[in-house]
Amino acid sequence: MKSNTVFKTDIEIAMEAELKPIDQIAEKLGITEEEWEPYGRYKAKISLDVLKNKADLPDGRLILVTSINPTKAGEGKSTVTVGLGDALSQLGKKAVIAMREPSLGPVMGVKGGATGGGYAQVLPMDEINLHFTGDIHAITTANNALAAFIDNHLHQGNDLNIDPRKIIWKRVLDMNDRALRQIVIGLGGPKQGVVREDGFDITVASEIMAILCLAKDLDDLKERLGKIIIGYTYEDKPVSVSDLKVEGALTLLLKEALKPNLVQTVEHTPSIIHGGPFANIAHGCNSVIATKMALKLGDYCVTEAGFGADLGGEKFLNIKTAAGDLKPDAVVIVATLRALKLHGGVPAEDLKEENLAAIEEGFSNLVKHCETISAFGLPFVIAMNKFSGDTEKEIALFLQLCEKHQYTCSLTEVWEKGGAGGLDLAQKLEKLIEETSSSFKRLYNNTDLISEKISKITRIVYGANRVEYSKEARRQLMQFEDEGWGKLPVCMAKTQYSLSDDPSQIGRPEEFTIHIRKLKPSIGAGFIVALTGDVMTMPGLPKKPAALQMDVDAKGNAAGLF
Amino acid sequence: MKSNTVFKTDIEIAMEAELKPIDQIAEKLGITEEEWEPYGRYKAKISLDVLKNKADLPDGRLILVTSINPTKAGEGKSTVTVGLGDALSQLGKKAVIAMREPSLGPVMGVKGGATGGGYAQVLPMDEINLHFTGDIHAITTANNALAAFIDNHLHQGNDLNIDPRKIIWKRVLDMNDRALRQIVIGLGGPKQGVVREDGFDITVASEIMAILCLAKDLDDLKERLGKIIIGYTYEDKPVSVSDLKVEGALTLLLKEALKPNLVQTVEHTPSIIHGGPFANIAHGCNSVIATKMALKLGDYCVTEAGFGADLGGEKFLNIKTAAGDLKPDAVVIVATLRALKLHGGVPAEDLKEENLAAIEEGFSNLVKHCETISAFGLPFVIAMNKFSGDTEKEIALFLQLCEKHQYTCSLTEVWEKGGAGGLDLAQKLEKLIEETSSSFKRLYNNTDLISEKISKITRIVYGANRVEYSKEARRQLMQFEDEGWGKLPVCMAKTQYSLSDDPSQIGRPEEFTIHIRKLKPSIGAGFIVALTGDVMTMPGLPKKPAALQMDVDAKGNAAGLF
């Protein structure tokens, strides 16, 4: 996301920014002193009462920011989301940004934070990227408390007759820790529990993260927690959290985490940051509560969903809108020339070189995502996120291709200029919303069979022409329909790098097969997870983790964060 | 701790108490707006600058609250600590309480919180007992980040030549989870890390918890983190965190957690709650920083150390005072008639029955702890924490025994009456401090061999006449002295229920042997851990965990917490 060599780093910009005290941001947002609590000087938790207190107000416009299939560095979707919010603010609109909170694991590993970049950041970026207000820690705790209750149940006599080989509830850590993917626990004899195979996922893949992000209120949270399926008995009957009677304790552990967090952008636009599932292994959207609050409190709610329109975008539109009764007004599709070149076959190390042919070839990936958004009945603008290396010829070609397809397109420079770099995008978006009426519809019906839902997603969104199920997945399809879980939406777990389930299939692959390896019931979240290919639910660290650069400076401030 | 049957529960009292906004408590404490940050309405983090800003002020008096060997229910040490602070406040003194933060694992399992009880509580008790300000989560994260860095190092080529069989750094969770005590990780082939044996401890047993509690400032924290020994190479050379170059990242993860937390008692006495190692498996004291701040900001700092004078007390006096350059003025030894009866041989289920003979017999346990405190050159008062079932005859006998031994003694009723129930204790303590001069001295010298330090502690504090080392421990004694670690103090890990290492040896056992099973270098914390008997560093849950009662009520408040 670095715009050019003379620019400051994200953390330098973040540290130099003058933040306003959070009470001023809360006031700007229009919430009363009783409706929020401070967490330090620049963070706050917003009371869930806000939704009740403002129930009579009309909702603002809902704008979803999504992207094409990204490169490893990401295309700046969070940056565009923040910049668009700031641009709308500059235009005198009351804009509220709703985003996910970052997972610490990738911050320690390879990835930059998830707080935008340059002059389009949410702040305090160091705190948001580290422990923030503790929401993810609370989810880790609740997830692992449940795991401890399960293993304690086995150890204390196993009244529920749970088959230790069929426990599907895994432990989690907010860490990239490959050595914990497959483990054996309970070793050491009869005083140390029951021996069984187990494994850790990263916390953002926990069903509890999804539940927190889809729950409407505290009661709904508790009801969903009770419905979690933790495994099966020796007779193959599903066992739920309510059978263990610990949904109250889990709710208690999560009651503060359910409150959304308020921060600000570099330009002081109110930003509600809450919940953070990844979009490749989970549903990839911030909480329903945060989005609903932003809609109540703003003329515009600008929100994003993780990775491309095939992942976070699809799940936002099929799953989150249903859970939260949301109706999007327009979509922004973020693209970069680098990513188009990658999809045109250029190796990662050569992306800085001008390559017109590759852009023309890779444009097919963008076209596919535009078709997807159209299939949902939604108007869209393409935001071309400019990088310093982009050549004039490349940009001209890109605009020409957009014109050829009759796509509305805007060049954004929010990394370098903040909101000012997104004014054109904001104006085009306003015009689009005024002139076109959204005829939003989801791509499948709840009453479709699980396999029909998977077929529709893979055909319409990915462009696949075949779905192949493993033997286990076929067995699960029947089992899940028998259990009455067939009416739930499907949450696809798939690589973010390709429209297919094979990360090497760049561009717009045709006539390919999607391989469903396994299904997982997330009955509390209210969806069935379909795992494709080799999707990994616990990342690993690289040879030289980002952590090696991190430190605290002489003043006690974060250093080397990015 | 329940005083009698008509009284309210701790959580009822806590919920009915009217808290003052935390800015009023901060003002009472004498710190400026720049020196603290709010965490919600009733919690704050205090800036480390306070110690610098107030460096010229004289220190207040340091009072340590300890106890005899406790029953499973505890003797109300935290309650007396809080009540004594409130009593001193009632007498017009500026009292500041310094306590540990509770571990969530036991809260979910069996134990009540660690926030005192009745009308002698620190508040908000539900928040303090749950996630509080996230310090323990930060420690869990730093601990497990280090573990992930280690396993990643093995996986990525193992440049440091670490022997996977000799890694001593364990993962942690703030959970009672016996199934994680002994595990095998890295299963699943060459992409999933290196297979090895591992295990989880509870977070409060992490060396990082000890480091946070013993560090003087951020620089000291980082230096200590760098010194942690994570294991050994194939050539048996110790490998430290600084070899992995991640002490900066760990410091970054802990920089907010290093700031002490400010809360208030039911009577609004400022209370600094920070750090929470258990005293049986770790050193058992709140942070040095919290204690030093309380000393700077109060006429009196009332602090406690976990379990009996043989555990937290001994470690406070030998380890914490050395790390923090602290000089205690007086000690309060808490005793209950129930505990004395237990030490006199009464089974747990019969403790409510009057039993004079058992009190006389069990008094020997108290005598031993009084001798220990005298050996440290410190004056003490015995606080007899009254329970509703105590009979007049029993109390009379107790007072008579105290008189016989020339012990200063006070009957406290702080659970029932708050500070008013501790006025006599506070007055006796003031008098004691005025009339006697502390001639505090530690029981061993740094230059003593590790085995000499262990001999002195076990002989003077426990009353043992012999120490037996396992073969492994004997080998480690030599190895540790060779490594130059012999000059560090020793942190004993021992059962809290007995002066010996066998929990069934009640009262004052004589002529017994202490068995040293294993040593562990905690070079970052700056001590050598000596594990005796079967001390467990990861507790398990009981058949009916406390969590089964927990819930959130219709107003969104904690319910069924205790």
Side-chain angles (χ1 to χ4, degrees):
Chain A
M1 227 92 25
K2 304 297 146 51
S3 184
N4 73 43
T5 47
V6 298
F7 279 107
K8 293 170 186 164
T9 65
D10 288 358
I11 181 109
E12 283 167 351
I13 292 168
M15 287 301 170
E16 284 172 25
E18 280 207 26
L19 283 82
K20 290 193 180 170
I22 198 67
D23 55 331
Q24 291 183 28
I25 305 301
E27 204 187 320
K28 196 169 176 177
L29 193 62
I31 54 176
T32 66
E33 264 187 50
E34 290 69 39
E35 291 175 332
W36 63 278
E37 280 185 296
Y39 269 65
R41 289 186 224 287
Y42 306 110
K43 299 169 288 179
K45 280 224 167 253
I46 309 176
S47 164
L48 299 181
D49 292 341
V50 166
L51 285 177
K52 284 179 217 159
N53 299 349
K54 315 269 179 196
D56 294 339
L57 293 183
D59 280 346
R61 302 291 198 169
L62 178 55
I63 298 165
L64 170 67
V65 180
T66 183
S67 83
I68 62 174
N69 291 95
T71 63
K72 293 213 165 158
E75 301 333 295
K77 194 157 27 62
S78 304
T79 307
V80 170
T81 302
V82 173
L84 175 58
D86 284 336
L88 286 163
S89 296
Q90 286 195 19
L91 292 173
K93 306 291 170 188
K94 195 170 172 191
V96 182
I97 294 163
M99 280 169 72
R100 287 175 297 162
E101 33 193 322
S103 166
L104 196 58
V107 169
M108 290 285 127
V110 269
K111 211 184 145 216
T115 50
Y119 289 90
Q121 292 189 55
V122 282
L123 303 174
M125 77 90 106
D126 53 333
E127 294 180 31
I128 299 172
N129 277 308
L130 294 173
H131 308 289
F132 201 24
T133 58
D135 296 342
I136 299 186
H137 291 322
I139 292 167
T140 303
T141 303
N143 185 103
N144 295 340
L146 175 53
F149 296 141
I150 294 167
D151 278 299
N152 189 52
H153 185 90
L154 295 181
H155 178 75
Q156 303 281 4
N158 197 10
D159 290 347
L160 291 172
N161 205 26
I162 300 167
D163 186 341
R165 300 163 307 175
K166 296 180 197 146
I167 292 171
I168 59 172
W169 190 255
K170 292 169 81 178
R171 288 171 169 86
V172 299
L173 282 179
D174 187 14
M175 198 57 64
N176 287 15
D177 197 348
R178 70 171 67 72
L180 294 180
R181 284 175 192 153
Q182 271 182 252
I183 65 175
V184 173
I185 64 170
L187 297 166
K191 286 188 177 170
Q192 328 283 4
V194 174
V195 179
R196 65 180 186 91
E197 287 187 57
D198 193 14
F200 280 71
D201 286 338
I202 189 162
T203 301
V204 294
S206 170
E207 184 177 349
I208 293 182
M209 172 60 90
I211 288 174
L212 187 102
C213 288
L214 293 169
K216 285 193 207 57
D217 52 34
L218 211 46
D219 288 341
D220 188 26
L221 178 76
K222 185 171 162 186
E223 196 181 319
R224 287 171 179 269
L225 290 167
K227 285 184 187 165
I228 293 172
I229 303 298
I230 60 97
Y232 300 88
T233 65
Y234 283 102
E235 298 79 33
D236 279 325
K237 297 274 169 235
V239 178
S240 70
V241 165
S242 57
D243 294 326
L244 289 164
K245 301 188 173 61
V246 293
E247 65 272 30
L250 300 184
T251 307
L252 180 60
L253 286 169
L254 294 165
K255 80 185 176 73
E256 297 305 310
L258 191 64
K259 299 176 186 167
N261 309 291
L262 177 63
V263 292
Q264 63 191 290
T265 67
V266 173
E267 299 183 10
H268 315 300
T269 302
S271 306
I272 303 179
I273 303 210
H274 194 220
F278 289 166
N280 47 356
I281 53 180
H283 82 277
C285 306
N286 64 257
S287 76
V288 160
I289 290 176
T291 302
K292 287 179 97 72
M293 265 188 201
L295 284 170
K296 277 295 170 210
L297 297 168
D299 303 329
Y300 289 89
C301 163
V302 185
T303 190
E304 58 157 357
F307 297 125
D310 55 329
L311 283 173
E314 180 270 315
K315 296 173 204 174
F316 180 95
L317 296 168
N318 279 324
I319 298 174
K320 182 176 166 179
T321 59
D325 197 16
L326 300 168
K327 203 171 157 301
D329 292 281
V331 176
V332 173
I333 306 174
V334 178
T336 60
L337 296 182
R338 297 159 54 114
L340 292 180
K341 281 188 264 189
L342 192 84
H343 285 295
V346 176
E349 57 275 21
D350 297 335
L351 290 177
K352 286 182 179 169
E353 309 296 317
E354 182 177 271
N355 192 330
L356 298 172
I359 287 177
E360 189 148 6
E361 173 72 20
F363 199 81
S364 60
N365 186 271
L366 174 57
V367 171
K368 177 68 194 136
H369 292 294
C370 292
E371 290 173 13
T372 296
I373 299 306
S374 296
F376 278 102
L378 287 169
F380 61 89
V381 182
I382 295 164
M384 203 285 259
N385 189 22
K386 264 183 76 177
F387 274 58
S388 59
D390 299 349
T391 70
E392 279 182 35
K393 276 192 199 166
E394 287 178 326
I395 294 172
L397 171 63
F398 178 80
L399 293 175
Q400 197 186 317
L401 289 166
C402 284
E403 209 181 315
K404 183 179 140 198
H405 285 84
Q406 294 183 296
Y407 293 155
T408 309
C409 172
S410 175
L411 304 186
T412 59
E413 297 173 285
V414 294
W415 194 97
E416 189 177 331
K417 298 178 183 170
L423 288 174
D424 178 67
L425 173 63
Q427 280 157 342
K428 282 181 173 151
L429 201 61
E430 279 196 272
K431 189 154 172 273
L432 187 75
I433 290 174
E434 266 170 44
E435 291 176 359
T436 51
S437 64
S438 147
S439 52
F440 172 63
K441 58 180 186 296
R442 284 180 272 278
L443 295 185
Y444 53 77
N445 299 314
N446 286 346
T447 49
D448 294 344
L449 293 173
I450 295 169
S451 58
E452 287 173 337
K453 289 168 188 156
I454 293 174
S455 286
K456 287 180 180 173
I457 296 168
T458 55
R459 185 165 45 79
I460 305 172
V461 179
Y462 304 167
N465 63 348
R466 203 168 150 261
V467 181
E468 192 176 294
Y469 291 87
S470 72
K471 199 175 158 189
E472 185 185 359
R474 278 203 306 277
R475 183 190 63 74
Q476 290 178 307
L477 275 182
M478 292 198 296
Q479 180 198 6
F480 286 18
E481 297 287 353
D482 286 349
E483 291 290 350
W485 301 334
K487 299 218 167 69
L488 296 173
V490 171
C491 178
M492 301 294 294
K494 181 181 79 67
T495 174
Q496 65 266 37
Y497 298 120
S498 172
L499 282 158
S500 76
D501 60 11
D502 171 0
S504 70
Q505 296 294 309
I506 48 169
R508 180 178 183 163
E510 308 263 0
E511 304 203 356
F512 60 91
T513 299
I514 289 286
H515 307 82
I516 307 289
R517 186 163 50 85
K518 205 166 125 176
L519 302 179
K520 206 185 117 219
S522 290
I523 311 304
F527 54 60
I528 303 300
V529 181
L531 292 126
T532 72
D534 283 331
V535 165
M536 191 71 80
T537 49
M538 172 54 102
L541 289 167
K543 179 138 188 164
K544 289 185 185 302
L548 293 175
Q549 310 304 323
M550 294 178 188
D551 208 342
V552 173
D553 70 16
K555 287 179 189 162
N557 291 323
L561 202 48
F562 310 112
Chain B
M1 227 93 27
K2 305 293 147 56
S3 187
N4 73 44
T5 47
V6 300
F7 280 106
K8 293 170 183 163
T9 65
D10 288 358
I11 181 113
E12 283 167 350
I13 292 168
M15 288 299 172
E16 284 172 24
E18 281 206 25
L19 283 81
K20 291 194 179 169
I22 197 67
D23 54 331
Q24 290 182 27
I25 305 301
E27 204 186 320
K28 196 170 177 178
L29 193 61
I31 55 177
T32 66
E33 265 187 48
E34 290 70 38
E35 291 174 332
W36 63 277
E37 282 185 295
Y39 271 64
R41 289 187 223 287
Y42 305 109
K43 298 168 288 177
K45 279 224 168 253
I46 308 176
S47 164
L48 298 181
D49 291 342
V50 166
L51 285 177
K52 283 180 215 159
N53 299 347
K54 315 268 178 195
D56 294 340
L57 294 184
D59 280 346
R61 301 291 197 169
L62 179 54
I63 299 164
L64 169 68
V65 180
T66 185
S67 83
I68 63 173
N69 291 95
T71 63
K72 291 213 167 158
E75 300 334 294
K77 196 158 25 67
S78 304
T79 307
V80 170
T81 303
V82 173
L84 175 59
D86 284 337
L88 286 163
S89 297
Q90 287 195 19
L91 292 174
K93 306 292 170 186
K94 194 170 171 193
V96 181
I97 293 162
M99 280 169 71
R100 288 175 296 161
E101 33 193 322
S103 168
L104 196 57
V107 169
M108 291 283 126
V110 269
K111 212 185 144 212
T115 51
Y119 289 90
Q121 293 189 54
V122 282
L123 303 173
M125 77 90 105
D126 53 333
E127 295 180 30
I128 299 172
N129 278 309
L130 294 172
H131 307 290
F132 201 24
T133 58
D135 296 342
I136 298 184
H137 291 322
I139 292 167
T140 303
T141 303
N143 185 103
N144 294 339
L146 176 52
F149 297 141
I150 295 167
D151 279 300
N152 189 52
H153 185 90
L154 294 181
H155 178 76
Q156 303 281 3
N158 197 10
D159 290 348
L160 292 172
N161 207 28
I162 300 167
D163 186 340
R165 302 163 304 176
K166 295 180 199 148
I167 291 171
I168 57 171
W169 190 255
K170 291 169 82 176
R171 288 171 168 85
V172 298
L173 283 179
D174 187 15
M175 197 61 62
N176 286 15
D177 196 349
R178 70 170 68 71
L180 294 179
R181 282 176 194 153
Q182 270 183 253
I183 67 176
V184 173
I185 64 170
L187 297 166
K191 286 186 178 172
Q192 326 284 5
V194 174
V195 179
R196 65 180 186 91
E197 287 186 55
D198 194 15
F200 280 71
D201 285 338
I202 189 161
T203 302
V204 294
S206 169
E207 185 178 348
I208 293 182
M209 172 62 90
I211 288 174
L212 187 102
C213 288
L214 292 170
K216 283 193 210 55
D217 53 34
L218 211 46
D219 288 340
D220 189 26
L221 178 75
K222 184 170 161 188
E223 198 182 317
R224 287 170 179 269
L225 289 167
K227 285 184 189 166
I228 292 172
I229 302 298
I230 61 97
Y232 300 87
T233 66
Y234 283 101
E235 298 79 33
D236 279 325
K237 295 275 170 236
V239 178
S240 70
V241 166
S242 58
D243 294 327
L244 289 164
K245 300 186 173 62
V246 293
E247 65 273 30
L250 301 184
T251 308
L252 180 60
L253 286 169
L254 294 166
K255 79 186 177 73
E256 297 306 310
L258 190 64
K259 299 176 185 166
N261 309 292
L262 177 64
V263 292
Q264 63 192 289
T265 68
V266 173
E267 299 182 10
H268 316 301
T269 302
S271 306
I272 304 179
I273 303 211
H274 193 222
F278 289 165
N280 48 356
I281 54 180
H283 82 277
C285 307
N286 66 258
S287 75
V288 159
I289 290 176
T291 302
K292 285 178 98 72
M293 265 187 200
L295 284 170
K296 277 295 171 210
L297 297 167
D299 303 328
Y300 288 88
C301 163
V302 185
T303 192
E304 58 156 1
F307 298 124
D310 56 329
L311 283 173
E314 179 270 316
K315 296 172 202 174
F316 180 96
L317 296 168
N318 279 324
I319 298 175
K320 182 176 168 180
T321 59
D325 196 17
L326 300 168
K327 205 172 154 300
D329 292 282
V331 176
V332 174
I333 305 173
V334 178
T336 61
L337 295 184
R338 297 159 54 113
L340 292 180
K341 281 188 263 188
L342 193 83
H343 286 296
V346 176
E349 57 276 21
D350 298 335
L351 290 177
K352 286 181 179 168
E353 310 296 319
E354 182 177 271
N355 192 329
L356 298 172
I359 288 176
E360 188 148 7
E361 173 73 19
F363 199 81
S364 60
N365 185 270
L366 174 57
V367 170
K368 177 67 194 137
H369 292 295
C370 293
E371 290 173 12
T372 296
I373 299 305
S374 296
F376 279 102
L378 288 168
F380 61 87
V381 183
I382 294 165
M384 204 283 261
N385 189 23
K386 265 183 73 180
F387 275 58
S388 58
D390 299 349
T391 71
E392 278 181 38
K393 275 192 202 164
E394 287 178 324
I395 294 171
L397 171 63
F398 178 79
L399 293 175
Q400 195 187 318
L401 289 166
C402 283
E403 209 181 318
K404 183 179 141 199
H405 286 83
Q406 295 184 294
Y407 294 155
T408 309
C409 171
S410 174
L411 303 187
T412 60
E413 297 173 284
V414 294
W415 194 98
E416 190 178 331
K417 298 178 180 170
L423 288 174
D424 176 67
L425 173 63
Q427 280 157 341
K428 283 185 173 147
L429 201 60
E430 278 195 274
K431 188 154 172 273
L432 187 73
I433 291 174
E434 266 169 44
E435 291 178 359
T436 50
S437 65
S438 146
S439 53
F440 172 63
K441 57 179 185 299
R442 285 180 270 279
L443 295 186
Y444 54 77
N445 299 313
N446 286 346
T447 49
D448 292 346
L449 293 173
I450 295 170
S451 57
E452 287 172 338
K453 289 168 187 155
I454 293 174
S455 288
K456 287 180 180 175
I457 296 167
T458 54
R459 184 166 44 80
I460 304 171
V461 180
Y462 306 166
N465 63 348
R466 202 168 150 261
V467 182
E468 191 176 294
Y469 292 88
S470 73
K471 198 174 159 189
E472 187 185 0
R474 277 203 304 278
R475 185 191 60 76
Q476 289 178 308
L477 275 183
M478 291 200 294
Q479 182 199 5
F480 287 19
E481 298 286 354
D482 285 349
E483 291 290 351
W485 302 333
K487 299 218 168 70
L488 296 173
V490 171
C491 178
M492 301 295 293
K494 181 182 77 69
T495 175
Q496 64 266 36
Y497 297 119
S498 171
L499 283 158
S500 77
D501 59 10
D502 170 2
S504 70
Q505 295 294 308
I506 49 171
R508 180 179 184 162
E510 308 263 0
E511 304 202 356
F512 60 91
T513 299
I514 289 285
H515 307 82
I516 307 290
R517 187 164 49 85
K518 207 167 125 176
L519 303 179
K520 206 185 118 218
S522 290
I523 310 304
F527 52 63
I528 303 301
V529 181
L531 293 125
T532 71
D534 283 331
V535 165
M536 191 70 81
T537 49
M538 172 54 103
L541 288 167
K543 178 139 191 168
K544 291 188 184 297
L548 294 174
Q549 311 304 323
M550 294 179 188
D551 208 343
V552 172
D553 70 16
K555 288 180 188 163
N557 290 325
L561 205 46
F562 310 112

